[in-house]
């Protein structure tokens, strides 16, 4: 996970707004059975996970048009867990897209059940992130760090929560002074 491509720190508000856009697309895909929308999400998630938010069409849309309309101050959060979450989104939507294509080729409607299940997850996860600020990918990332699967060097801020606390204290002090 090269930090040169994905920022070490991202704005949590922007991330939650990106999740809201993904949520809308996921709901539309499920409600209308427009499974091709998973291909759109697969491309976006893959670009974001591999190259960072600067090349993601959804992230760019949010950064340019939606985030400026939201008055909430920036809330820095660690980037590597968000990148991991984007990679999970990429795997899920690539799988949904592949299964949809298989159903087109084979005419099998049974495969669509798996697409719907993945689609439900792709509604649940972004809903948790956008509405409640719960990042399932970040929770998994943290667990993998505790198990030693992901080395601490990948996300030093994640490994040392005191750095995040210090930053929040400094931010609050700055807001009170303003």
């Amino acid at each position: 996970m090269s930090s040169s491509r994905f920022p070490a720190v991202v704005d949590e508000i922007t991330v939650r707004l990106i999740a809201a856009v993904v949520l809308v697309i996921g709901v539309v895909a499920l409600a209308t059975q427009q499974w091709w929308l998973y291909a759109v999400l697969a491309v976006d998630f893959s670009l974001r996970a591999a190259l960072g938010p600067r090349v993601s069409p959804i992230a760019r849309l949010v950064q340019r048009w939606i985030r400026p309309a939201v008055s909430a101050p920036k809330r820095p959060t660690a980037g590597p867990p968000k990148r991991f979450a984007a990679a999970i989104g990429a795997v899920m939507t690539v799988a949904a897209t592949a299964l949809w294509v298989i159903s087109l080729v084979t005419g099998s409607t049974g495969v669509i059940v798996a697409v719907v299940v993945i689609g439900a997850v792709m509604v649940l996860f972004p809903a948790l992130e956008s509405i409640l600020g719960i990042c399932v990918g970040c929770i998994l990332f943290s667990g993998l760090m505790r198990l030693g699967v992901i080395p601490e060097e990948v996300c030093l801020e994640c490994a040392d929560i005191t750095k995040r606390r210090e930053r929040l204290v400094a931010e609050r002090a700055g807001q009170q002074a303003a």
Side-chain angles (χ1 to χ4, degrees):
M1 288 194 193
S2 168
S3 61
S4 64
R5 292 186 180 163
F6 201 97
V9 177
V10 294
D11 174 30
E12 181 180 341
I13 304 301
T14 301
V15 170
R16 289 178 72 174
L17 292 168
I18 291 167
V21 172
V22 170
L23 173 61
V24 168
I25 295 169
V27 167
V28 168
L30 273 178
T32 63
Q33 298 182 5
Q34 295 298 311
W35 310 126
W36 61 270
L37 288 170
Y38 294 126
V40 172
L41 287 174
V43 168
D44 188 81
F45 275 121
S46 297
L47 287 170
R48 197 165 351 124
L51 302 172
R54 74 181 186 287
V55 297
S56 155
I58 293 174
R60 304 258 322 187
L61 167 85
V62 168
Q63 291 166 346
R64 174 143 178 133
W65 300 102
I66 300 172
R67 180 61 172 114
V70 176
S71 62
K74 287 187 175 186
R75 286 200 300 212
T77 190
K82 300 301 182 182
R83 183 180 195 182
F84 183 77
I88 291 172
V91 168
M92 299 289 285
T93 53
V94 165
T97 301
L99 290 168
W100 167 63
V101 170
I102 289 169
S103 76
L104 291 176
V105 171
T106 65
S108 169
T109 56
V111 178
I112 292 298
V113 173
V115 175
V116 171
V117 169
I118 292 170
V121 171
M122 291 309 301
V123 166
L124 177 63
F125 285 10
L128 289 170
E129 174 79 51
S130 64
I131 298 166
L132 302 174
I134 298 171
C135 174
V136 175
C138 300
I139 293 168
L140 293 171
F141 184 91
S142 174
L144 292 171
M145 279 188 72
R146 278 194 301 280
L147 292 172
V149 175
I150 297 175
E152 284 186 10
E153 298 77 41
V154 171
C155 186
L156 293 174
E157 183 173 325
C158 301
D160 186 359
I161 192 73
T162 59
K163 291 180 184 178
R164 186 174 303 133
R165 286 189 191 126
E166 291 168 3
R167 187 188 69 238
L168 288 173
V169 169
E171 285 176 16
R172 288 185 187 132
Q175 288 173 354
Q176 289 174 353

